[in-house]
Amino acid sequence: MLTRQVVPLIARLSLLLFAGLLAGCARGLPPVDHGPVLAVSSVADSFTTDQRRMHLDPESRLSAFGLLDTGRDAFVVRSALIETASQRIDAQYYIWNDDASGRYLAGRLVAAADRGVQVRLLLDDINVAGKESLFAMMEAHPAISIRIFNPSPSRKGVGRWLSFITDFDRINRRMHNKTFVVDGNVGITGGRNIGDEYFDEHQELNFRDRDVMVLGPLAGAMTDNFEAYWQSPWSYPLGQLYELPESERAGDRLSGLSRATTEPLPFTASVPQGRNQAESLLAGWFADMVKAEAELVFDPPPEDLEAPADKPRNTAKALFDLIESARKEILIESAYLILADEQLNGLDNLGNHGLKVAAITNSLATNDLVTNHSGYARWRREMLEQGFDLYELRPDAPACKRWVANEQACDKGVISLHSKAVVFDRETLFIGSFNVNLRSIYLNGETVLVIRSPQLARAVAEDIERAMAPENSWRVSLNEQGSLVWQSRDGEVYQEPESGFWRRAASRMLSWLSIEKYL
């Protein structure tokens, strides 16, 4: 009996010692010198240029905005923008999946490159593993360049995972920004990554998410965001990290990838076929966009990846400023909602002067990451005591059929919240890649739009309130005995609803750990 207890303990201690020795000699890759920075401006002659002139006064600093509220709209609009690109596409993503929608968009980027469009793709390293062959194939095209932000020195196997342990501080500085800019005139930013579950095309799990399409000057600000990371010494050319295929073999594979996007497609969405269809579709979107004053805020890449991440970043400061100026109401929609003492102490005016703060996030049943739910659960009681109205999404929310265009996926699968937006007094909208959690505040690079438009703010506020309705969410509160209660259309429950014992146990045990900054 003693031996059974001691041997695993020795093994664990040996592993920790080995990891500690590795930590002593762990080093990141040396910084890259990308050479002179070339000026980048919007394209002077293109379809998007014509649309910009048609819908915006050139003397005005206003931009125009359109909400992409369903994954289908987000997928179709991105597809159309690729078809209409004349000179340049810059795409920056935390995740780009090698699945049906990810390969389709990659194939259309290859087709755009074939007609002379310069394509730049910037990806965070944390989710590149397993998709290298797709990106290496694309990089072989002379008009496509791909860079990877903050890669681990070891590219696969145990070494890659050990680097996460031995180089913990540096590896935790991630590029969570998400932008997609065409010809410097039109851009998309928001919460969505690239993949089936973000575009209403997954049969089991679909994310409720939201993007904003921007026409006008702020698309140029998105380009500035992209350039900051593209030129960072911590963004590495793909060919420096992976072996690229031989040109002849890569050419055949690229042609196959492009051809596959013109064959019968496995999507519930109907994507535009050719430039004429794409221009017609986008012209309708541009005509309905809302002009407003706005600013784009982004967190530049750290100069020193190993420097302490103990101060709020630009996007967090912008959020805090808006919170300070709120008069009546703050509505929060955040996939991962984690606020600790420092942030909650800064909200000590809740309940005073009639200020209402309501937030919706994932329940344990809908959260794709139990770890992240545990960080929220660790501070949930404190948020309630501070005066928050808290709501947690139900996995069977009927609103799924409003948010997800593929209704069959709602009947068979699960809906999970991935959107990130905050509405202030139904006048100002804060929207982008920023989760209201400690990781976005201190560690990640994020991109947000602050849009001062009552029309757009009301639209998002009404959608958030719809998600908070009893049929779509549980309202969490404290009863007279101080116990947590989940209330919805089905009545009350006194433990995490619609979750099995082991999932609840895992969340509870993880909530005992003070790791919420890294979730």
Side-chain angles (χ1 to χ4, degrees), residues 477-483 485:
S477 59
L478 297 172
N479 64 15
E480 293 180 357
Q481 291 74 40
S483 300
V485 180

Side-chain angles (χ1 to χ4, degrees), residues 181-319:
V181 186
V182 173
D183 289 336
N185 291 310
V186 181
I188 297 174
T189 191
R192 284 187 182 88
N193 296 296
I194 303 299
D196 290 351
E197 61 268 41
Y198 300 96
F199 294 136
D200 300 354
E201 293 292 342
H202 201 283
Q203 295 306 308
E204 297 177 3
L205 170 67
N206 283 280
F207 287 120
R208 190 286 177 270
D209 218 328
R210 186 183 286 107
D211 289 322
V212 182
M213 180 165 61
V214 180
L215 174 68
L218 282 191
M222 286 189 202
T223 298
D224 294 340
N225 176 139
F226 180 91
E227 286 293 326
Y229 282 85
W230 186 255
Q231 299 297 343
S232 168
W234 314 118
S235 292
Y236 295 76
L238 190 79
Q240 192 171 320
L241 304 173
Y242 297 104
E243 183 177 350
L244 302 181
E246 297 177 1
S247 57
E248 182 176 345
R249 179 164 149 257
D252 291 340
R253 294 175 66 190
L254 283 168
S255 296
L257 182 65
S258 180
R259 283 196 307 271
T261 63
T262 62
E263 297 171 356
L265 301 171
F267 302 125
T268 62
S270 177
V271 293
Q273 297 296 312
R275 188 179 186 92
N276 290 339
Q277 284 189 20
E279 289 185 356
S280 177
L281 183 146
L282 289 173
W285 275 93
F286 292 140
D288 292 336
M289 292 175 85
V290 176
K291 292 185 277 292
E293 292 184 357
E295 61 181 310
L296 185 127
V297 183
F298 70 91
D299 304 313
E303 294 182 7
D304 180 358
L305 290 169
E306 297 181 356
D310 53 4
K311 294 181 180 179
R313 310 204 68 202
N314 289 353
T315 52
K317 292 176 183 176
L319 177 64

Side-chain angles (χ1 to χ4, degrees), residues 292-412:
E293 292 184 357
E295 61 181 310
L296 185 127
V297 183
F298 70 91
D299 304 313
E303 294 182 7
D304 180 358
L305 290 169
E306 297 181 356
D310 53 4
K311 294 181 180 179
R313 310 204 68 202
N314 289 353
T315 52
K317 292 176 183 176
L319 177 64
F320 296 158
D321 288 344
L322 290 168
I323 290 172
E324 285 291 322
S325 62
R327 304 183 309 276
K328 297 178 181 179
E329 179 189 65
I330 303 173
L331 294 175
I332 300 171
E333 177 185 55
S334 185
Y336 312 124
L337 177 63
I338 305 173
L339 299 174
D341 274 337
E342 183 176 352
Q343 295 75 40
L344 293 173
N345 289 340
L347 295 171
D348 55 7
N349 63 336
L350 298 192
N352 298 334
H353 312 297
L355 181 64
K356 170 191 173 184
V357 178
I360 183 167
T361 190
N362 277 302
S363 62
L364 180 56
T366 63
N367 205 316
D368 61 320
L369 298 170
V370 174
T371 49
N372 286 34
H373 185 82
S374 72
Y376 158 71
R378 177 180 172 88
W379 292 96
R380 179 168 46 197
R381 178 180 295 275
E382 283 75 3
M383 284 191 280
L384 290 169
E385 291 174 346
Q386 191 74 299
F388 277 70
D389 292 337
L390 287 183
Y391 298 83
E392 298 178 6
L393 185 66
R394 293 177 59 113
D396 58 351
C400 177
K401 293 185 178 181
R402 182 185 181 93
W403 301 327
V404 175
N406 182 3
E407 292 191 3
Q408 289 185 338
C410 291
D411 294 332
K412 297 177 182 178

